[in-house]
Amino acid sequence: MSAAQFVNLLVAALLLAGVYAIMSYGLALAYGVMKLVNLAHAGFMMLGAYLTLEAFRRLGLDPLLGAIVTAGVLWLVGMGVYWLLVRHVPTSDEPTLPSLLLLFGVWLVLQNIGYLLWGTQDQAILTPRTLQTIRLGPVTLPVVRVLVFLVALVGLAVLHLVLGRTWFGRAVRALTQNRQASRIVGIDVGRTAMLAFGASTAFSGLAGGLLATLYSFNPDFGGPFLLRSFVIIVLGGLESFAGVALGGLVLALLETFSVLVIPAGYQLALSFGLLVVALLVLPGGLPSLFAWRRRL
């Protein structure tokens, strides 16, 4: 492999890592605040992809702007789902079977709504910039992937600011650490959880809309990306947002460079293998590895 090929693959992996990170933050947020393994994450990503498509076809909205608008819509949808369904599930410090089954059911309902409204045919969002590229010396950058990466980067920056600088962010971090102590110091746990579930759903929708500009999709669209999200948050240590970004980078590097030795069709199997290895060897994720090295 030449140096130019290596640099091109490395840049492609970095661009992919941004999308993977924003795809996984929604799942990490729901787990951190409510200890929910949100299987409906896949359904919300699918819904985000189709709403972005409808905004593009019916309203002529740019797909990237459509993905952002879709995120706002899905924030409201997520808060509605929480208020109608999720808040009735008994809370626990560990994921529970009722919550798992409930959110699996929500995924199935969303998937069947997708089949009912949009059928089984693959859809794609094609714009004049879909095939455009930028050349920077030996590096070739697909325009749409660069723009998607920038939108994802802005989304991550907004999340970082909200979590670090606002009352809502402090409440979310408090709930992530100790639910009972949060209640004692006056945090409205129910309201914060509803807003956090809405934000989790918004990130799922944004990720779905961005991914729809890169790949074709159908109502089964969210499943493979749900598995990748699980791999990333396990690598990231489940509740560490910095760890999620690192996990996204590791998976993107592995998938991108693996095409040199195995067919691209096996990438999902590679992700599943990485999930098994991470659960067996690094159950605390990559942050636990760094903590172990600091103790030496």
Side-chain angles (χ1 to χ4, degrees):
M1 181 172 57
S2 68
Q5 287 175 318
F6 176 81
V7 172
N8 272 292
L9 285 175
L10 185 61
V11 171
L14 290 174
L15 296 179
L16 185 61
V19 183
Y20 276 4
I22 207 162
M23 174 181 79
S24 307
Y25 271 124
L27 201 62
L29 192 58
Y31 183 85
V33 175
M34 293 158 280
K35 297 297 178 286
L36 292 175
V37 179
N38 187 8
L39 294 178
H41 184 68
F44 291 129
M45 278 197 288
M46 179 274 295
L47 200 57
Y50 276 105
L51 290 180
T52 302
L53 175 69
E54 291 295 336
F56 174 63
R57 286 184 176 172
R58 297 180 187 277
L59 305 176
L61 204 60
D62 184 275
L64 297 178
L65 183 58
I68 295 170
V69 173
T70 295
V73 173
L74 283 183
W75 187 314
L76 299 176
V77 171
M79 288 196 295
V81 169
Y82 180 88
W83 190 80
L84 285 172
L85 302 172
V86 178
R87 71 188 177 108
H88 301 294
V89 175
T91 57
S92 171
D93 290 334
E94 299 291 337
T96 62
L97 184 60
S99 66
L100 198 67
L101 294 176
L102 171 67
L103 292 167
F104 180 60
V106 172
W107 177 18
L108 292 182
V109 168
L110 291 173
Q111 194 176 41
N112 281 280
I113 289 175
Y115 281 125
L116 187 66
L117 294 179
W118 295 291
T120 58
Q121 286 189 331
D122 283 3
Q123 305 286 344
I125 297 177
L126 301 175
T127 67
R129 62 170 172 258
T130 299
L131 300 178
Q132 288 179 350
T133 57
I134 304 170
R135 286 196 66 85
L136 296 174
V139 180
T140 302
L141 299 172
V143 171
V144 68
R145 286 185 178 270
V146 173
L147 293 175
V148 165
F149 175 77
L150 291 176
V151 173
L153 211 58
V154 170
L156 296 179
V158 169
L159 178 65
H160 179 72
L161 284 174
V162 169
L163 290 179
R165 303 288 179 85
T166 67
W167 168 87
F168 171 66
R170 288 192 287 272
V172 164
R173 285 185 284 136
L175 255 68
T176 302
Q177 293 171 14
N178 191 311
R179 192 180 186 89
Q180 285 304 113
S182 303
R183 200 186 301 274
I184 290 171
V185 297
I187 293 174
D188 187 336
V189 172
R191 181 165 170 263
T192 305
M194 183 174 70
L195 289 171
F197 193 84
S200 163
T201 308
F203 272 95
S204 305
L206 177 60
L210 295 179
L211 288 167
T213 65
L214 303 177
Y215 307 104
S216 62
F217 53 94
N218 59 38
D220 291 330
F221 168 71
F225 292 106
L226 176 66
L227 175 59
R228 288 182 171 94
S229 299
F230 276 131
V231 175
I232 290 167
I233 68 167
V234 168
L235 282 174
L238 294 177
E239 297 176 5
S240 167
F241 290 100
V244 168
L246 184 59
L249 178 61
V250 169
L251 182 62
L253 285 169
L254 186 65
E255 286 190 352
T256 303
F257 281 92
S258 68
V259 298
L260 295 173
V261 290
I262 62 174
Y266 289 98
Q267 282 187 341
L268 199 58
L270 195 66
S271 300
F272 186 72
L274 184 59
L275 175 62
V276 173
V277 170
L279 287 171
L280 292 175
V281 180
L282 284 173
L286 294 171
S288 68
L289 181 63
F290 296 134
W292 176 73
R293 287 181 63 85
R294 280 197 296 270
R295 287 197 296 270
L296 291 179

